[in-house]
Amino acid sequence: MAQSHPQLHLVKHPLVDHLLTEARDTQTPPDRFAQLVGLISVILACEATRDLRLKPHRVQTPLTDFDGKQLAAPPTIVPILRAGLGIAHDMFQLIPGARMGHIGVYRDEKSLKPVNYYENLPTDAAAGPVFVVDPMLATGGSATAAVDLLLARQCTDIKLICLVAAPEGVDALNAKHPAVPVYAAALDRNLDSRGFIVPGLGDAGDRQFGTGA
Ligand code: PRP
């Protein structure tokens, strides 16, 4: 856990360092960028799901009974549209019984304030852990708006997974929602005057989907 950011869990792993460096590279094309987002997300998800509760589950192996385990409550993965979709896709395959909820928030390019435009969550999302996913935590406005919405839907066990975080975003989320841990592959230097993370990886939505300039 980073000392000056009490709720930040930086996931240190050689594969994360290698894959994230490739994602930062402007030479990386959209199809590979999207693949990298998914691969890094699986490693982050392994850390973020470490404390999921289990219940007993007996199965029959080809030889005998086996007293095994299964997840006690179905987790909900909530991508913030649209850049969060790449993380959500691979996490959905990793976590058995997971459901997917969607929250649409975009950042107004001038004010940098979040604008909510879509919500579709499982009706019982509050019954289990919720993982909000978005590659970038910049000003923190979008993540804070997503957590606001989930709390209003009675969700209490909420974690955020992102690829790169700016200190400003971590602090902003922590100030409003100190109980929400952040799992990230990197804590970058700062935000520039346009609210872009530096060094960052550019606009993760545009780079995954081949849109933008
Ligand atoms: C990006 C990103 C986050 C948000 C981060 O989304 O995916 O959702 O900005 O910025 P913040 O922490 O300052 O709120 P964007 O608005 O570009 O929308 P998109 O995912 O549809 O591309």
Side-chain angles (χ1 to χ4, degrees):
M1 204 177 282
Q3 203 130 46
S4 55
H5 302 286
Q7 98 282 42
L8 177 64
H9 299 254
L10 279 178
V11 177
K12 299 307 294 176
H13 194 290
L15 292 176
V16 169
D17 285 341
H18 180 113
L19 298 171
L20 186 60
T21 299
E22 198 180 338
R24 291 184 191 276
D25 187 346
T26 55
Q27 299 299 311
T28 300
D31 56 344
R32 177 62 179 162
F33 185 90
Q35 186 182 35
L36 291 164
V37 169
L39 293 170
I40 298 166
S41 302
V42 167
I43 302 172
L44 299 182
C46 289
E47 286 303 315
T49 54
R50 212 172 256 289
D51 60 357
L52 286 183
R53 288 184 300 107
L54 294 166
K55 64 182 180 186
H57 181 60
R58 173 171 284 201
V59 295
Q60 197 76 42
T61 79
L63 301 179
T64 183
D65 291 346
F66 178 74
D67 288 319
K69 295 180 171 68
Q70 65 177 193
L71 295 180
T76 301
I77 302 162
V78 179
I80 300 180
L81 302 177
R82 101 203 119 128
L85 287 171
I87 299 180
H89 177 266
D90 286 60
M91 275 187 72
F92 196 55
Q93 296 185 51
L94 176 72
I95 302 177
R99 298 89 50 86
M100 189 106 76
H102 295 84
I103 293 178
V105 183
Y106 72 86
R107 190 174 76 162
D108 182 87
E109 285 184 9
K110 288 211 173 71
S111 70
L112 301 184
K113 299 286 179 215
V115 181
N116 294 36
Y117 65 89
Y118 186 73
E119 175 193 341
N120 191 335
L121 299 169
T123 47
D124 63 343
V130 177
F131 297 93
V132 179
V133 302
D134 191 329
M136 299 183 297
L137 181 64
T139 64
S142 302
T144 301
V147 173
D148 286 344
L149 193 153
L150 289 164
L151 289 173
R153 302 290 174 267
Q154 282 73 51
C155 298
T156 50
D157 182 0
I158 303 170
K159 293 185 168 76
L160 176 73
I161 296 180
C162 60
L163 264 52
V164 290
E168 294 90 333
V170 176
D171 290 344
L173 182 67
N174 184 235
K176 182 91 187 282
H177 299 299
V180 175
V182 177
Y183 290 80
L187 178 67
D188 275 9
R189 203 161 56 233
N190 64 292
L191 293 180
D192 71 8
S193 57
R194 297 172 304 157
F196 275 85
I197 303 172
V198 182
L201 37 70
D203 186 316
D206 286 340
R207 292 200 62 195
Q208 281 177 86
F209 301 117
T211 52

